[in-house]
PDB file of all heavy atoms in Angstrom:
ATOM      1  N   VAL A  81      -8.185 142.655 146.013  1.00 98.00           N
ATOM      2  CA  VAL A  81      -9.410 142.493 145.229  1.00 98.00           C
ATOM      3  C   VAL A  81      -9.681 141.002 145.025  1.00 98.00           C
ATOM      4  O   VAL A  81      -8.778 140.253 144.637  1.00 98.00           O
ATOM      5  CB  VAL A  81      -9.297 143.191 143.853  1.00 98.00           C
ATOM      6  CG1 VAL A  81     -10.614 143.083 143.089  1.00 98.00           C
ATOM      7  CG2 VAL A  81      -8.902 144.663 144.019  1.00 98.00           C
ATOM      8  N   ARG A  82     -10.910 140.597 145.282  1.00 98.00           N
ATOM      9  CA  ARG A  82     -11.297 139.202 145.073  1.00 98.00           C
ATOM     10  C   ARG A  82     -11.335 138.898 143.575  1.00 98.00           C
ATOM     11  O   ARG A  82     -11.782 139.726 142.768  1.00 98.00           O
ATOM     12  CB  ARG A  82     -12.658 138.939 145.711  1.00 98.00           C
ATOM     13  CG  ARG A  82     -13.049 137.465 145.758  1.00 98.00           C
ATOM     14  CD  ARG A  82     -14.437 137.302 146.372  1.00 98.00           C
ATOM     15  NE  ARG A  82     -14.489 137.687 147.774  1.00 98.00           N
ATOM     16  CZ  ARG A  82     -14.196 136.889 148.786  1.00 98.00           C
ATOM     17  NH1 ARG A  82     -13.811 135.641 148.551  1.00 98.00           N
ATOM     18  NH2 ARG A  82     -14.289 137.321 150.035  1.00 98.00           N
ATOM     19  N   LYS A  83     -10.879 137.700 143.208  1.00 97.00           N
ATOM     20  CA  LYS A  83     -10.907 137.290 141.809  1.00 97.00           C
ATOM     21  C   LYS A  83     -12.328 137.349 141.271  1.00 97.00           C
ATOM     22  O   LYS A  83     -13.284 136.939 141.927  1.00 97.00           O
ATOM     23  CB  LYS A  83     -10.361 135.862 141.679  1.00 97.00           C
ATOM     24  CG  LYS A  83     -10.178 135.405 140.243  1.00 97.00           C
ATOM     25  CD  LYS A  83      -9.529 134.023 140.191  1.00 97.00           C
ATOM     26  CE  LYS A  83      -9.324 133.581 138.753  1.00 97.00           C
ATOM     27  NZ  LYS A  83      -8.689 132.233 138.678  1.00 97.00           N
ATOM     28  N   GLY A  84     -12.482 137.896 140.070  1.00 97.00           N
ATOM     29  CA  GLY A  84     -13.798 138.060 139.464  1.00 97.00           C
ATOM     30  C   GLY A  84     -14.354 139.458 139.616  1.00 97.00           C
ATOM     31  O   GLY A  84     -15.391 139.793 139.018  1.00 97.00           O
ATOM     32  N   TYR A  85     -13.666 140.294 140.394  1.00 98.00           N
ATOM     33  CA  TYR A  85     -14.145 141.665 140.629  1.00 98.00           C
ATOM     34  C   TYR A  85     -13.129 142.700 140.136  1.00 98.00           C
ATOM     35  O   TYR A  85     -13.110 143.840 140.598  1.00 98.00           O
ATOM     36  CB  TYR A  85     -14.459 141.868 142.103  1.00 98.00           C
ATOM     37  CG  TYR A  85     -15.661 141.055 142.535  1.00 98.00           C
ATOM     38  CD1 TYR A  85     -15.521 139.730 142.916  1.00 98.00           C
ATOM     39  CD2 TYR A  85     -16.934 141.610 142.498  1.00 98.00           C
ATOM     40  CE1 TYR A  85     -16.617 138.966 143.280  1.00 98.00           C
ATOM     41  CE2 TYR A  85     -18.049 140.862 142.865  1.00 98.00           C
ATOM     42  CZ  TYR A  85     -17.880 139.541 143.254  1.00 98.00           C
ATOM     43  OH  TYR A  85     -18.989 138.786 143.606  1.00 98.00           O
ATOM     44  N   GLU A  86     -12.349 142.287 139.142  1.00 98.00           N
ATOM     45  CA  GLU A  86     -11.360 143.199 138.562  1.00 98.00           C
ATOM     46  C   GLU A  86     -12.026 144.413 137.910  1.00 98.00           C
ATOM     47  O   GLU A  86     -11.384 145.453 137.742  1.00 98.00           O
ATOM     48  CB  GLU A  86     -10.503 142.445 137.540  1.00 98.00           C
ATOM     49  CG  GLU A  86      -9.602 141.373 138.136  1.00 98.00           C
ATOM     50  CD  GLU A  86     -10.303 140.039 138.354  1.00 98.00           C
ATOM     51  OE1 GLU A  86     -11.527 139.947 138.086  1.00 98.00           O
ATOM     52  OE2 GLU A  86      -9.615 139.089 138.778  1.00 98.00           O
ATOM     53  N   PHE A  87     -13.310 144.288 137.559  1.00 98.00           N
ATOM     54  CA  PHE A  87     -14.026 145.400 136.919  1.00 98.00           C
ATOM     55  C   PHE A  87     -14.158 146.613 137.849  1.00 98.00           C
ATOM     56  O   PHE A  87     -14.505 147.719 137.402  1.00 98.00           O
ATOM     57  CB  PHE A  87     -15.413 144.949 136.450  1.00 98.00           C
ATOM     58  CG  PHE A  87     -16.348 144.532 137.556  1.00 98.00           C
ATOM     59  CD1 PHE A  87     -17.133 145.468 138.225  1.00 98.00           C
ATOM     60  CD2 PHE A  87     -16.436 143.204 137.938  1.00 98.00           C
ATOM     61  CE1 PHE A  87     -17.990 145.093 139.242  1.00 98.00           C
ATOM     62  CE2 PHE A  87     -17.287 142.812 138.969  1.00 98.00           C
ATOM     63  CZ  PHE A  87     -18.071 143.750 139.616  1.00 98.00           C
ATOM     64  N   LEU A  88     -13.861 146.429 139.125  1.00 98.00           N
ATOM     65  CA  LEU A  88     -13.924 147.545 140.077  1.00 98.00           C
ATOM     66  C   LEU A  88     -12.679 148.427 140.032  1.00 98.00           C
ATOM     67  O   LEU A  88     -12.606 149.433 140.741  1.00 98.00           O
ATOM     68  CB  LEU A  88     -14.088 147.006 141.504  1.00 98.00           C
ATOM     69  CG  LEU A  88     -15.430 146.356 141.854  1.00 98.00           C
ATOM     70  CD1 LEU A  88     -15.345 145.711 143.231  1.00 98.00           C
ATOM     71  CD2 LEU A  88     -16.553 147.391 141.805  1.00 98.00           C
ATOM     72  N   ALA A  89     -11.713 148.079 139.214  1.00 98.00           N
ATOM     73  CA  ALA A  89     -10.416 148.757 139.224  1.00 98.00           C
ATOM     74  C   ALA A  89     -10.528 150.272 139.124  1.00 98.00           C
ATOM     75  O   ALA A  89      -9.915 151.006 139.911  1.00 98.00           O
ATOM     76  CB  ALA A  89      -9.535 148.220 138.096  1.00 98.00           C
ATOM     77  N   ASP A  90     -11.285 150.777 138.161  1.00 98.00           N
ATOM     78  CA  ASP A  90     -11.396 152.229 137.994  1.00 98.00           C
ATOM     79  C   ASP A  90     -11.969 152.891 139.242  1.00 98.00           C
ATOM     80  O   ASP A  90     -11.490 153.944 139.686  1.00 98.00           O
ATOM     81  CB  ASP A  90     -12.274 152.565 136.778  1.00 98.00           C
ATOM     82  CG  ASP A  90     -11.591 152.252 135.458  1.00 98.00           C
ATOM     83  OD1 ASP A  90     -10.351 152.350 135.398  1.00 98.00           O
ATOM     84  OD2 ASP A  90     -12.291 151.919 134.488  1.00 98.00           O
ATOM     85  N   GLU A  91     -12.985 152.271 139.818  1.00 98.00           N
ATOM     86  CA  GLU A  91     -13.610 152.828 141.018  1.00 98.00           C
ATOM     87  C   GLU A  91     -12.646 152.824 142.201  1.00 98.00           C
ATOM     88  O   GLU A  91     -12.576 153.807 142.968  1.00 98.00           O
ATOM     89  CB  GLU A  91     -14.868 152.030 141.363  1.00 98.00           C
ATOM     90  CG  GLU A  91     -15.619 152.574 142.570  1.00 98.00           C
ATOM     91  CD  GLU A  91     -16.901 151.808 142.853  1.00 98.00           C
ATOM     92  OE1 GLU A  91     -17.396 151.115 141.940  1.00 98.00           O
ATOM     93  OE2 GLU A  91     -17.408 151.911 143.988  1.00 98.00           O
ATOM     94  N   LEU A  92     -11.891 151.756 142.347  1.00 98.00           N
ATOM     95  CA  LEU A  92     -10.943 151.647 143.459  1.00 98.00           C
ATOM     96  C   LEU A  92      -9.839 152.694 143.333  1.00 98.00           C
ATOM     97  O   LEU A  92      -9.478 153.363 144.318  1.00 98.00           O
ATOM     98  CB  LEU A  92     -10.325 150.254 143.493  1.00 98.00           C
ATOM     99  CG  LEU A  92     -11.280 149.071 143.642  1.00 98.00           C
ATOM    100  CD1 LEU A  92     -10.503 147.756 143.601  1.00 98.00           C
ATOM    101  CD2 LEU A  92     -12.097 149.172 144.915  1.00 98.00           C
TER     102      LEU A  92
END
Side-chain angles (χ1 to χ4, degrees):
V81 183
R82 190 182 294 274
K83 188 175 181 180
Y85 292 85
E86 293 84 357
F87 64 86
L88 290 172
D90 288 329
E91 182 177 341
L92 301 178

